[in-house]
């Protein structure tokens, strides 16, 4: 893959790149209208989606940073976007153009006042992994193989302006309305800023790795403060295969699927229920599989703290008996800011019905002692539900910015976790290892 020598860093440069991408999308729509004259609607729409996905991704991958991170987040929403977007945006997880060697040296010198080969015994200037916010290089120090993550120049400084450019797209896609919609964008902005603070990531990585070290079949790298800064992070090099690549193999046994699935589920349930902090970026690029089929966890840049004021009502609604208690259910929806004081009777009825259907489905794993995450029936129903409500015109006419801001990253965590569990296809996962409220 060709490297890049420069990343657009100013607001004008980045806006120009996005405007150019928008122009390409406009041309695609003109082609689409002509295509419909000679092809079926479905065929024309599929070609439109493929063209738009390619042009949008190609525009974002050179910007890197939060613009590309949004694409990465959207790639996890398999039931929200057309498949063409999911496939193309998923490349942002671990396959984007890397920085050139001169730009790597320049970036490294900025934070250490030294070249990489003056800090490490060996340093490979060619990256082995380039993603949305930074890229990884192999180094050696005192006989130890290390992974050095270098943040792209200008990423941290461009978050606010990037999100301002992406905001109109998000408003349209997620039907966000109303005067208080800014709080949702502020939640995303704050979390993205945390992800660019590698000193914070080092602290979170050490804390969560130590907390989770006794969970079976999980491995974590050690982190090295002396070779890290706010924009460079050094850790052990972990030998393993990307989870997504491992799962493409045709020689995986049911026992291996079970081992990985249980480890992944336990990792998330322990964090959520025991320490109320969670690795909120569950995409395949953040996990490796060791030669002994242990799950290696990488990248604690995105960690979500879960306050009790959200945790308690959120998981009370995971209990089957509470879903059937109408008044209790309504009180929890109010507590979680899903129902609003100004709602009409029609809106209250509509959203209670909608969330009852959604939660009755999404919380099914929590109603069982063990769960089969290979179930095509379960995930098919989720896809059908998402498609049905995405086409519901009534939702479009109602205020869509509902729910606590904590939903953004907690829902992202569960969507990502469920998708990974389905990809692993473990059939007998013990659900209540770290959480048991006597659910019925």
């Amino acid at each position: 893959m060709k490297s890049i020598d420069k990343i657009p860093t100013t607001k004008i440069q980045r806006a120009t790149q996005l405007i150019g991408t928008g122009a390409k999308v406009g041309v695609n729509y003109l082609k689409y209208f002509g295509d419909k004259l000679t092809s079926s609607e479905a065929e024309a729409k599929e070609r439109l989606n493929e063209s738009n996905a390619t042009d949008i991704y190609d525009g974002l991958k050179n910007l890197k940073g939060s613009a590309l991170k949004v694409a990465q987040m959207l790639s996890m929403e398999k039931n929200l976007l057309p498949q063409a977007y999911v496939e193309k945006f998923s490349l942002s997880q671990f396959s984007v153009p890397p920085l050139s060697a001169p730009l790597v040296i320049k970036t490294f010198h900025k934070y250490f006042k030294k070249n990489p080969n003056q800090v490490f015994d060996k340093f490979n200037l060619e990256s082995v992994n380039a993603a949305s916010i930074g890229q990884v290089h192999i180094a050696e120090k005192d006989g130890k193989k290390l992974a050095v993550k270098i943040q792209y120049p200008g990423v941290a400084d461009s978050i606010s302006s990037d999100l301002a450019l992406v905001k109109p797209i998000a408003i349209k896609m997620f039907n966000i309305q109303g005067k208080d919609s800014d709080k949702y964008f502020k939640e995303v902005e704050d979390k993205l800023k945390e992800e660019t603070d590698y000193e914070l990531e080092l602290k979170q990585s050490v804390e969560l790795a130590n907390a989770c070290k006794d969970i079976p079949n999980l491995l974590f790298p050690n982190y090295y403060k002396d070779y890290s800064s706010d924009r460079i992070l050094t850790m052990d090099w972990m030998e393993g295969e990307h989870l997504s690549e491992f799962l493409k193999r045709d020689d995986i046994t049911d026992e291996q699927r079970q081992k990985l699935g249980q480890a992944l589920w336990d990792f998330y349930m322990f964090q959520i229920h025991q320490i109320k902090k969670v690795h909120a970026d569950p995409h395949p690029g953040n996990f490796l599989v060791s030669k002994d089929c242990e799950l290696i966890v990488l990248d604690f840049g995105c960690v979500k703290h879960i306050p009790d004021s959200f945790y308690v009502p959120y998981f009370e609604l995971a209990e089957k008996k509470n879903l059937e208690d109408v008044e209790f259910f309504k009180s929890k929806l109010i507590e979680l800011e899903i129902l609003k004081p100004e709602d009409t009777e029609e809106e209250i009825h509509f959203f209670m019905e909608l969330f009852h259907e959604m939660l009755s489905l999404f919380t099914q794993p929590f109603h069982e002692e063990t769960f089969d995450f290979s179930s095509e029936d379960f995930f098919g129903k989720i896809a059908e539900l998402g498609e049905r409500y995405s086409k519901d015109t009534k939702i479009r006419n109602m205020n869509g910015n509902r729910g606590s801001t904590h939903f953004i990253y907690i829902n992202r965590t569960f969507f990502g976790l469920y998708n990974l569990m389905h990809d692993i296809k473990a059939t007998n996962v013990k659900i209540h290892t770290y959480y048991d409220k006597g659910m019925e």
Side-chain angles (χ1 to χ4, degrees):
M1 185 182 295
K2 186 179 178 181
S3 63
I4 56 177
D5 299 310
K6 187 177 182 181
I7 296 174
T9 55
T10 70
K11 185 175 181 180
I12 292 176
Q13 288 172 335
R14 297 176 76 81
T16 300
Q17 178 91 42
L18 284 174
I19 290 169
T21 300
K24 290 180 181 179
V25 170
V27 171
N28 292 338
Y29 272 99
L30 290 176
K31 291 179 180 177
Y32 162 67
F33 293 128
D35 205 7
K36 285 200 297 181
L37 299 176
T38 57
S39 305
S40 70
E41 169 71 21
E43 290 172 331
K45 194 63 178 285
E46 184 177 350
R47 281 192 282 270
L48 171 68
N49 288 335
E50 288 174 356
S51 297
N52 279 349
T54 297
D55 288 336
I56 292 171
Y57 175 71
D58 286 346
L60 295 180
K61 71 182 181 183
N62 289 326
L63 288 176
K64 299 187 181 291
S66 48
L68 188 56
K69 192 72 178 179
V70 169
Q72 184 190 87
M73 292 169 70
L74 290 173
S75 74
M76 294 161 56
E77 304 292 351
K78 295 182 179 180
N79 301 314
L80 179 67
L81 295 176
Q83 187 61 27
Y85 288 87
V86 173
E87 290 175 357
K88 185 61 69 171
F89 287 3
S90 66
L91 294 174
S92 65
Q93 294 169 5
F94 46 82
S95 180
V96 295
L99 301 180
S100 65
L103 193 50
V104 169
I105 294 171
K106 182 180 178 181
T107 303
F108 202 94
H109 198 274
K110 179 178 179 180
Y111 297 104
F112 279 95
K113 309 304 178 191
K114 297 178 181 179
N115 291 340
N117 57 11
Q118 293 175 303
V119 176
F120 301 101
D121 299 331
K122 292 181 182 179
F123 186 91
N124 190 340
L125 286 171
E126 186 175 332
S127 77
V128 293
N129 187 349
S132 55
I133 288 177
Q135 65 185 42
V136 177
H137 295 257
I138 296 176
E140 284 187 25
K141 184 71 175 180
D142 300 328
K144 184 171 289 188
K145 191 174 182 181
L146 302 171
V148 183
K149 183 164 69 170
I150 299 177
Q151 190 173 126
Y152 302 128
V155 163
D157 298 329
S158 65
I159 289 173
S160 297
S161 58
D162 276 1
L163 287 181
L165 293 168
V166 173
K167 186 175 179 178
I169 301 171
I171 286 174
K172 184 175 182 181
M173 181 175 286
F174 298 108
N175 190 34
I176 299 172
Q177 305 170 17
K179 61 185 178 182
D180 60 345
S181 63
D182 283 348
K183 67 182 182 183
Y184 299 103
F185 291 99
K186 184 70 165 61
E187 171 79 356
V188 173
E189 182 178 340
D190 289 347
K191 197 55 63 183
L192 287 172
K193 285 180 177 177
E194 287 181 11
E195 289 193 61
T196 62
D197 183 348
Y198 284 177
E199 289 178 336
L200 175 63
E201 181 175 343
L202 187 147
K203 180 182 177 183
Q204 291 178 156
S205 301
V206 172
E207 179 186 353
L208 286 175
N210 284 337
C212 299
K213 68 180 187 300
D214 293 328
I215 299 174
N217 302 314
L218 285 180
L219 296 175
F220 305 90
N222 293 308
Y223 293 82
Y224 300 93
K225 187 175 182 179
D226 290 346
Y227 309 121
S228 301
S229 73
D230 60 340
R231 298 292 182 260
I232 295 174
L233 183 63
T234 300
M235 66 198 83
D236 288 335
W237 175 263
M238 304 297 284
E239 296 290 347
E241 190 173 2
H242 274 297
L243 178 60
S244 56
E245 294 302 312
F246 178 83
L247 294 174
K248 291 177 183 176
R249 290 165 45 171
D250 55 13
D251 61 343
I252 307 174
T253 66
D254 290 343
E255 183 180 1
Q256 288 174 317
R257 292 185 184 280
Q258 183 64 27
K259 185 177 181 179
L260 288 173
Q262 192 67 59
L264 182 66
W265 184 259
D266 287 350
F267 173 57
Y268 275 93
M269 293 306 104
F270 179 85
Q271 293 172 91
I272 290 169
H273 299 304
Q274 299 299 314
I275 57 179
K276 309 288 178 60
K277 294 179 184 178
V278 63
H279 177 285
D281 201 5
H283 67 73
N286 280 339
F287 297 94
L288 303 177
V289 180
S290 75
K291 59 181 176 57
D292 295 322
C293 202
E294 296 164 302
L295 194 67
I296 301 169
V297 184
L298 307 172
D299 197 340
F300 282 97
C302 184
V303 172
K304 174 64 182 172
H305 295 242
I306 313 171
D308 283 339
S309 59
F310 179 82
Y311 172 88
V312 173
Y314 187 88
F315 283 99
E316 282 179 327
L317 289 182
E319 297 185 48
K320 193 173 182 179
K321 64 180 181 181
N322 291 337
L323 290 173
E324 304 311 318
D325 185 330
V326 176
E327 287 306 313
F328 184 87
F329 180 70
K330 182 178 180 180
S331 71
K332 295 298 127 178
L333 293 188
I334 293 172
E335 210 171 322
L336 291 167
E337 302 174 46
I338 291 168
L339 294 181
K340 305 163 80 71
E342 65 270 22
D343 281 342
T344 64
E345 285 299 317
E346 181 187 9
E347 286 173 323
I348 290 171
H349 176 76
F350 177 81
F351 283 107
M352 282 188 67
E353 193 174 78
L354 185 157
F355 279 92
H356 186 272
E357 183 177 15
M358 287 174 56
L359 289 168
S360 296
L361 177 59
F362 292 155
T363 62
Q364 277 185 21
F366 291 95
H367 303 160
E368 311 290 341
E369 288 301 315
T370 62
F371 194 77
D372 178 4
F373 282 97
S374 71
S375 171
E376 295 299 338
D377 179 62
F378 175 66
F379 286 92
K381 287 177 180 176
I382 291 178
E384 186 277 328
L385 184 65
E387 185 175 354
R388 174 154 47 90
Y389 278 115
S390 70
K391 296 177 180 177
D392 193 321
T393 55
K394 190 177 285 188
I395 293 179
R396 289 285 164 188
N397 296 325
M398 294 182 179
N399 190 343
N401 57 325
R402 290 178 179 271
S404 163
T405 55
H406 299 298
F407 272 112
I408 295 173
Y409 281 92
I410 296 303
N411 282 357
R412 178 194 182 194
T413 297
F414 271 103
F415 269 109
L417 175 60
Y418 275 26
N419 283 328
L420 283 179
M421 293 297 293
H422 187 49
D423 290 342
I424 293 171
K425 291 183 168 43
T427 59
N428 190 35
V429 177
K430 295 177 183 176
I431 296 300
H432 303 297
T433 314
Y434 295 106
Y435 177 63
D436 186 0
K437 299 276 283 189
M439 295 183 187
E440 297 177 5

